[in-house]
Structures are given as structure tokens and as C-alpha cells.
Amino acid sequence: MSIAVYPGSFDPITCGHLDIIRRSAALFDEVVVAVLKNSAKKPLFSAEERVRLIEKSVSDIPNCRVIHFDGLLVDCVKALNARVIIKGLRAISDFEYEFQMAQLNKKLNPEIETFFMVTNANYSYISSSIVKEIAHLGGDFSDLLPKEIYNDVKEKIKKGRL
């Protein structure tokens, strides 16, 4: 069984992330979306909330599951009996950082491979940070997120402004 791990902060998940998940699910027996708990960052949503939002967004993808993890990605991948890390690339600037991370992960565990997937051009300008900024400023971000979570994100932003 081929298992691929798609890691990230997903704060929140975007249409670009969902596109990578769907395309990965067509290539691997199982895709595990691994939500990073990073104490150095101050996310809008807790790791548990992000897992719930992603689960709502991928409910129609039977070979996808969502977890959260804290620590080294290679340890998470190994614990899942996976050998593949999926990384989405929006631009050349993403590649430089992701290439370094892939090399580091390879050094930490030579059995793990990183697959880079180029983001669909329709989503190449979308990031979670951009979505949050547009939302905080009162702009329309409805077509940047999976429709299943739009209201959740809108409510969270609204509560943050109070």
C-alpha cells in the first residue's frame, strides 16, 4: 500500500491545498494530511480546529485522512508507515525552501522521498496568509476556500475583530 503524507499548517486550508490533496489521492492508495502543531506560530485556528476544517473539506475523498502532529516530519511519516512526502509548489520561490527541506528530510531518513506537485495555475496566487488578510479586511474570499468551510472561517474572523 502506498501512503503519501501532505504536511502543512493549513491555517486555513485553501482551494490550492485541496487541489493538491485530490490529485495526490488519485496517485496513492492513501493520503494523510498532516497538520503541523507549531508553537512558534500563532495560528488563527488551533490544530484540532484545522483538522476538523480539513476533514469537512475532504469528506468526499475516501482514501484521505487527517491528523495533527508535533515534532519532526520524518518521524510522523515513519510512524504512518509512509515513504512519500507531498509538497505543493506555487512559484519558483517555493521551490528553493522546499528543496532544502526535502534534502534535510532525506538526510534524516534516506528512505523517505519528497514529491513536488506544481499547483494548478488557477490557485497559484492563493495562500492561507492571503486568505486571512483579505478576510480581516472585509474582502470577498469565498472562492479561495473550500465551500464547506467558508462560514467557519468567516465566523472565526468576525469573532477575532470583536
Side-chain angles (χ1 to χ4, degrees), residues 11-15 125-137 139 141-142 144-145 153 157:
D11 186 42
I13 186 173
T14 68
C15 290
Y125 60 92
I126 302 173
S127 70
S128 296
S129 299
I130 296 280
V131 169
K132 288 184 285 193
E133 187 169 346
I134 292 169
H136 279 295
L137 296 172
F141 60 98
S142 59
L144 305 179
L145 299 174
V153 175
I157 297 289

Side-chain angles (χ1 to χ4, degrees), residues 4 13 18 27-28 73 92 106 112 136 148:
I13 186 173
L18 188 55
L27 299 172
F28 296 95
L73 174 58
I92 289 288
K106 192 72 165 163
I112 295 174
H136 279 295
E148 296 86 357

